[in-house]
Amino acid sequence: MTLQAASLVSSAFSVRKDGKLNASSSSFKNSSLFGASITEHVSSSLRFKREHSLRNVLAVRAQTAATSSPSVTKYSFDGKKTLRKGNVVITGASSGLGLAMAKPLAETGKWHVIMACMDFLKAERAAKSAGMPKDSYTVINLDLSPVLSRDPKIPSPDLLFCLLKSVFVPLILNARRRVSVDKTNRALALLDSVRQFVDSFSRSEMPLDVLVCIAAVYFPTAKEPTYSAEGFELSVATNHLGHFLLSRLLLDDLKKYDYPSKRLIIVGSITGTANLGDLRGLAGGLNGLNSLAMIDGRDFDGAKAYKDSKVCNMLTMQEFHRHYHEETGVAFASLYPGCIASTGLFGEHIPLFRTLFPPFQKYTTKEYVSETESCKRLAQVVSDPSLTKSGVHWSWNKTSASFENELSEEASDVEKARKVWEISEKLVGLA
């Protein structure tokens, strides 16, 4: 599905849409052209001419930069309190709920959206198609290493695996199949790409005020697990481990700048009812060895793997709150914006389900939530002054009023949260 044109661009970069070069007047004054020696020995008239000339040179360079290949553009900010746009990073912002949320935030004029997407060109086209103002967003690429896909032009994974096994039995006796499916939101399945993204964002020197973790994968009908390039079951790798690493690595950026309301938000499930058991699968690395591809060590179940990953999201967000809220002032929260029955997240489900589920939610359960309404709820948690409480799970009732939802016993288990945190640190290389 994803466009292979992404490989033509650099592995990690960001582009400001206006193409302007940030250069404050203070930076001119601190340069050798305007130091004390020139002030003392050159007349004010000559100084003005040189300053005017330098500005012309900079204008030419800025114009050239706007038409050259993308590169990391530094954002000038002194870390002091100032009236400025907030900066929000949104994962999975090139499609679905991520894009639907990015557009209204950008249009308020109060937010600059950093679209964290693996396919740079797709994100650019999506933003343009959505009508997002040119200076309201930056795309930062999360590059993927080459992996197998379910492209119809490529032999099926099972056929390819059997062929390799029959030819290279001694070499691949213990090999595991690692397959990528629909790479649109799979950037977070590769931990190296997360680190590349963080490095790119850091070099841009943009402030970070809010991080929203939305990107997710869901394989409800899968009978066998799919693995990330690192060897982790893909649902947990993308939905939990990737976001866990991203959040940890960007925490310093969230702490650094003085913004009125700094927040780290992740999309969870209703209350987090999936049972993670004794975490034996997670502790074993979810690599399929001894059949432990599930967090609880049981037989693989694609739908439960997704639910497990959401419980991990909610447990670790509470652990973030306990570890860092008092020290940093960052508000950590999970939320469930409602069941978006028509979302692309159900793309892996059977066609009959995709056809019947939306009207069932709308007319039978009366719990249908449109993508537009879900985005409004997400935007509330990003910017509403009344939703700044940390360590909570936000939900909405049928009248779209927000409330602090009580989590299940599993999703509020403090000891389990600690264990998930510690095991996850080891899996992503932080411990």
Side-chain angles (χ1 to χ4, degrees):
M1 287 185 169
T2 186
L3 298 174
Q4 297 304 317
S7 62
L8 298 177
V9 296
S10 61
S11 63
F13 53 79
S14 65
V15 180
R16 290 302 295 250
K17 292 302 298 175
D18 55 12
K20 293 181 180 179
L21 182 63
N22 289 326
S24 63
S25 59
S26 62
S27 65
F28 290 149
K29 293 176 182 177
N30 291 332
S31 69
S32 60
L33 284 176
F34 300 100
S37 61
I38 293 180
T39 302
E40 294 169 0
H41 301 293
V42 182
S43 67
S44 60
S45 175
L46 181 58
R47 184 169 63 251
F48 175 79
K49 289 179 180 179
R50 290 187 178 181
E51 181 177 356
H52 184 68
S53 176
L54 178 58
R55 285 175 176 167
N56 287 339
V57 171
L58 288 173
V60 172
R61 289 177 180 172
Q63 185 176 4
T64 302
T67 58
S68 62
S69 60
S71 60
V72 175
T73 304
K74 292 189 176 181
Y75 187 101
S76 180
F77 183 69
D78 58 10
K80 298 178 181 179
K81 275 190 176 181
T82 182
L83 293 176
R84 63 170 175 85
K85 287 184 179 181
N87 286 298
V88 53
V89 169
I90 303 176
T91 68
S94 64
S95 63
L97 187 59
L99 178 62
M101 179 190 180
K103 182 178 185 291
L105 280 177
E107 288 176 341
T108 64
K110 298 178 180 179
W111 292 95
H112 185 84
V113 178
I114 294 92
M115 302 172 70
C117 307
M118 63 152 289
D119 190 330
F120 179 85
L121 297 179
K122 176 184 176 180
E124 285 284 350
R125 284 193 294 269
K128 183 177 180 180
S129 178
M132 292 173 63
K134 290 183 178 181
D135 61 348
S136 68
Y137 67 93
T138 298
V139 178
I140 300 187
N141 185 270
L142 287 85
D143 188 44
L144 281 177
S145 300
V147 289
L148 293 176
S149 68
R150 287 182 182 171
D151 189 312
K153 297 178 182 178
I154 300 175
S156 70
D158 289 333
L159 177 62
L160 186 59
F161 180 75
C162 292
L163 177 63
L164 290 173
K165 186 174 181 179
S166 65
V167 178
F168 302 109
V169 171
L171 298 178
I172 65 169
L173 187 59
N174 296 317
R176 305 300 304 179
R177 283 174 291 175
R178 287 164 174 80
V179 183
S180 170
V181 289
D182 177 17
K183 296 186 288 182
T184 301
N185 265 340
R186 305 308 191 266
L188 292 177
L190 293 177
L191 302 182
D192 284 346
S193 70
V194 175
R195 292 184 172 89
Q196 290 172 1
F197 169 84
V198 172
D199 178 66
S200 245
F201 181 81
S202 218
R203 287 188 291 114
S204 76
E205 296 187 0
M206 284 187 286
L208 175 61
D209 307 307
V210 178
L211 169 61
V212 185
C213 301
I214 296 178
V217 296
Y218 179 40
F219 310 116
T221 61
K223 302 301 181 184
E224 294 184 3
T226 299
Y227 297 94
S228 73
E230 292 85 357
F232 306 129
E233 190 280 316
L234 193 57
S235 301
V236 177
T238 300
N239 305 351
H240 166 57
L241 293 175
H243 280 131
F244 176 73
L245 178 61
L246 181 67
S247 300
R248 286 289 299 272
L249 295 181
L250 286 178
L251 193 58
D252 284 340
D253 290 274
L254 272 173
K255 295 189 298 184
K256 189 184 302 182
Y257 298 100
D258 195 354
Y259 192 74
S261 181
K262 299 176 288 185
R263 310 184 193 190
L264 202 165
I265 303 158
I266 195 161
V267 176
S269 60
I270 301 177
T271 56
T273 56
N275 192 321
L276 303 184
D278 60 5
L279 306 175
R280 67 178 66 183
L282 187 65
L286 297 171
N287 56 15
L289 298 178
N290 301 317
S291 300
L292 299 183
M294 296 289 290
I295 287 178
D296 61 6
R298 295 179 179 273
D299 293 339
F300 180 76
D301 180 334
K304 186 177 185 300
Y306 172 82
K307 295 173 184 177
D308 287 353
S309 71
K310 294 286 103 181
V311 173
C312 287
N313 290 157
M314 296 153 81
L315 286 170
T316 52
M317 200 52 58
Q318 293 169 68
E319 202 68 4
F320 266 110
H321 167 74
R322 285 187 281 268
H323 278 258
Y324 299 111
H325 174 64
E326 187 174 343
E327 171 196 343
T328 66
V330 175
F332 301 94
S334 56
L335 75 151
Y336 178 66
C339 181
I340 314 170
S342 55
T343 179
L345 189 64
F346 295 113
E348 293 288 330
H349 224 303
I350 60 175
L352 183 62
F353 177 89
R354 297 200 302 269
T355 301
L356 298 180
F357 188 53
F360 175 77
Q361 287 290 94
K362 184 177 290 187
Y363 302 112
T364 304
T365 67
K366 307 293 185 182
E367 294 180 353
Y368 179 87
V369 178
S370 68
E371 194 169 69
T372 301
E373 177 59 30
S374 292
C375 291
K376 289 180 181 177
R377 296 173 179 184
L378 273 165
Q380 276 186 275
V381 183
V382 169
S383 59
D384 193 320
S386 67
L387 274 64
T388 58
K389 188 173 181 180
S390 184
V392 300
H393 181 69
W394 296 109
S395 293
W396 286 259
N397 59 27
K398 292 185 178 181
T399 63
S400 292
S402 61
F403 65 96
E404 296 176 35
N405 205 345
E406 184 176 350
L407 296 176
S408 68
E409 182 178 349
E410 185 76 0
S412 56
D413 187 325
V414 175
E415 179 60 21
K416 188 161 287 188
R418 182 187 65 79
K419 290 180 180 178
V420 169
W421 179 278
E422 291 176 352
I423 295 171
S424 299
E425 281 187 319
K426 294 176 182 177
L427 292 178
V428 301
L430 293 177

